[in-house]
Amino acid sequence: MGKKARLGFAAFVLVGVVAYLMYTGVRQTAVYYITVNEFAQRRHQLVGEGVRVAGRVASGSVKRRMTPAGEEVWFEIGDFKDDGGTTPVLQVYYTGVVPDMFRNEGGSDVIVEGRYDGSVLRAQSLMTSCPSKYEPMEPASAAQAGGN
């Protein structure tokens, strides 16, 4: 075997090893990104699995408590629709730093990532999405003038 052939074989093996390491690394860290409706359809398949779910925090469902380990937050997320209809709901438990955009009254669009234990998604990360548009607050005088 010539010198060039050995060098080519070594380069081929090196590229193969790098490709294998990249594939296994991505495969182990890949997490599904699904909506609450998609989660509800596959709920039983996802028990014990790492999952990433996007949804909107249900109004009045947020409960917060400070502990020595950090802030505990319990809340429910549902679909993004605001039509008032019945949508699947997922209970979420999270301990850690809560993003500033997370609203206690509900209505925040969130992405939670964690492990589903069969009844509660135990989130390891909580992200809020920014509103698609910012609207100015109504001036207090305009609201009072309209009421007279």
Side-chain angles (χ1 to χ4, degrees), residues 137-148:
M137 294 179 60
E138 290 186 26
S141 61
Q144 289 176 351
N148 289 336

PDB file of all heavy atoms in Angstrom, residues 137-148:
ATOM      1  N   MET A 137     -50.288  51.479  25.722  1.00  0.00           N
ATOM      2  CA  MET A 137     -51.365  51.437  26.706  1.00  0.00           C
ATOM      3  C   MET A 137     -52.302  52.608  26.458  1.00  0.00           C
ATOM      4  O   MET A 137     -51.899  53.661  25.992  1.00  0.00           O
ATOM      5  CB  MET A 137     -50.796  51.535  28.122  1.00  0.00           C
ATOM      6  CG  MET A 137     -49.952  50.335  28.492  1.00  0.00           C
ATOM      7  SD  MET A 137     -49.260  50.445  30.144  1.00  0.00           S
ATOM      8  CE  MET A 137     -50.717  50.561  31.139  1.00  0.00           C
ATOM      9  N   GLU A 138     -53.585  52.397  26.769  1.00  0.00           N
ATOM     10  CA  GLU A 138     -54.533  53.480  26.617  1.00  0.00           C
ATOM     11  C   GLU A 138     -54.269  54.517  27.690  1.00  0.00           C
ATOM     12  O   GLU A 138     -54.105  54.180  28.854  1.00  0.00           O
ATOM     13  CB  GLU A 138     -55.956  52.964  26.758  1.00  0.00           C
ATOM     14  CG  GLU A 138     -56.400  52.115  25.607  1.00  0.00           C
ATOM     15  CD  GLU A 138     -57.867  51.751  25.726  1.00  0.00           C
ATOM     16  OE1 GLU A 138     -58.623  52.515  26.365  1.00  0.00           O
ATOM     17  OE2 GLU A 138     -58.238  50.716  25.190  1.00  0.00           O
ATOM     18  N   PRO A 139     -54.238  55.778  27.285  1.00  0.00           N
ATOM     19  CA  PRO A 139     -54.058  56.822  28.302  1.00  0.00           C
ATOM     20  C   PRO A 139     -55.246  56.829  29.263  1.00  0.00           C
ATOM     21  O   PRO A 139     -56.381  56.582  28.867  1.00  0.00           O
ATOM     22  CB  PRO A 139     -53.997  58.119  27.502  1.00  0.00           C
ATOM     23  CG  PRO A 139     -53.905  57.735  26.071  1.00  0.00           C
ATOM     24  CD  PRO A 139     -54.297  56.298  25.949  1.00  0.00           C
ATOM     25  N   ALA A 140     -54.962  57.116  30.509  1.00  0.00           N
ATOM     26  CA  ALA A 140     -56.008  57.124  31.526  1.00  0.00           C
ATOM     27  C   ALA A 140     -57.058  58.177  31.227  1.00  0.00           C
ATOM     28  O   ALA A 140     -58.245  57.974  31.447  1.00  0.00           O
ATOM     29  CB  ALA A 140     -55.396  57.361  32.905  1.00  0.00           C
ATOM     30  N   SER A 141     -56.636  59.313  30.656  1.00  0.00           N
ATOM     31  CA  SER A 141     -57.602  60.378  30.370  1.00  0.00           C
ATOM     32  C   SER A 141     -58.558  59.977  29.263  1.00  0.00           C
ATOM     33  O   SER A 141     -59.739  60.295  29.286  1.00  0.00           O
ATOM     34  CB  SER A 141     -56.877  61.673  30.003  1.00  0.00           C
ATOM     35  OG  SER A 141     -56.088  61.460  28.850  1.00  0.00           O
ATOM     36  N   ALA A 142     -58.084  59.238  28.254  1.00  0.00           N
ATOM     37  CA  ALA A 142     -58.954  58.788  27.161  1.00  0.00           C
ATOM     38  C   ALA A 142     -59.987  57.793  27.679  1.00  0.00           C
ATOM     39  O   ALA A 142     -61.148  57.817  27.280  1.00  0.00           O
ATOM     40  CB  ALA A 142     -58.132  58.171  26.043  1.00  0.00           C
ATOM     41  N   ALA A 143     -59.564  56.921  28.592  1.00  0.00           N
ATOM     42  CA  ALA A 143     -60.495  55.953  29.158  1.00  0.00           C
ATOM     43  C   ALA A 143     -61.549  56.649  30.001  1.00  0.00           C
ATOM     44  O   ALA A 143     -62.724  56.285  29.979  1.00  0.00           O
ATOM     45  CB  ALA A 143     -59.734  54.928  29.998  1.00  0.00           C
ATOM     46  N   GLN A 144     -61.149  57.708  30.736  1.00  0.00           N
ATOM     47  CA  GLN A 144     -62.112  58.427  31.559  1.00  0.00           C
ATOM     48  C   GLN A 144     -63.050  59.245  30.693  1.00  0.00           C
ATOM     49  O   GLN A 144     -64.234  59.371  30.984  1.00  0.00           O
ATOM     50  CB  GLN A 144     -61.381  59.355  32.533  1.00  0.00           C
ATOM     51  CG  GLN A 144     -60.659  58.593  33.619  1.00  0.00           C
ATOM     52  CD  GLN A 144     -59.859  59.532  34.512  1.00  0.00           C
ATOM     53  OE1 GLN A 144     -59.725  60.717  34.221  1.00  0.00           O
ATOM     54  NE2 GLN A 144     -59.342  58.984  35.595  1.00  0.00           N
ATOM     55  N   ALA A 145     -62.537  59.865  29.592  1.00  0.00           N
ATOM     56  CA  ALA A 145     -63.386  60.663  28.714  1.00  0.00           C
ATOM     57  C   ALA A 145     -64.441  59.801  28.049  1.00  0.00           C
ATOM     58  O   ALA A 145     -65.576  60.225  27.851  1.00  0.00           O
ATOM     59  CB  ALA A 145     -62.541  61.369  27.650  1.00  0.00           C
ATOM     60  N   GLY A 146     -64.104  58.554  27.711  1.00  0.00           N
ATOM     61  CA  GLY A 146     -65.043  57.636  27.080  1.00  0.00           C
ATOM     62  C   GLY A 146     -66.126  57.199  28.049  1.00  0.00           C
ATOM     63  O   GLY A 146     -67.243  56.890  27.662  1.00  0.00           O
ATOM     64  N   GLY A 147     -65.834  57.200  29.343  1.00  0.00           N
ATOM     65  CA  GLY A 147     -66.789  56.742  30.339  1.00  0.00           C
ATOM     66  C   GLY A 147     -67.783  57.823  30.734  1.00  0.00           C
ATOM     67  O   GLY A 147     -68.807  57.553  31.334  1.00  0.00           O
ATOM     68  N   ASN A 148     -67.535  59.102  30.367  1.00  0.00           N
ATOM     69  CA  ASN A 148     -68.449  60.187  30.765  1.00  0.00           C
ATOM     70  C   ASN A 148     -69.578  60.380  29.835  1.00  0.00           C
ATOM     71  O   ASN A 148     -69.892  60.286  28.872  1.00  0.00           O
ATOM     72  CB  ASN A 148     -67.689  61.523  30.886  1.00  0.00           C
ATOM     73  CG  ASN A 148     -66.784  61.528  32.098  1.00  0.00           C
ATOM     74  OD1 ASN A 148     -67.022  60.798  33.057  1.00  0.00           O
ATOM     75  ND2 ASN A 148     -65.742  62.325  32.033  1.00  0.00           N
TER      76      ASN A 148
END
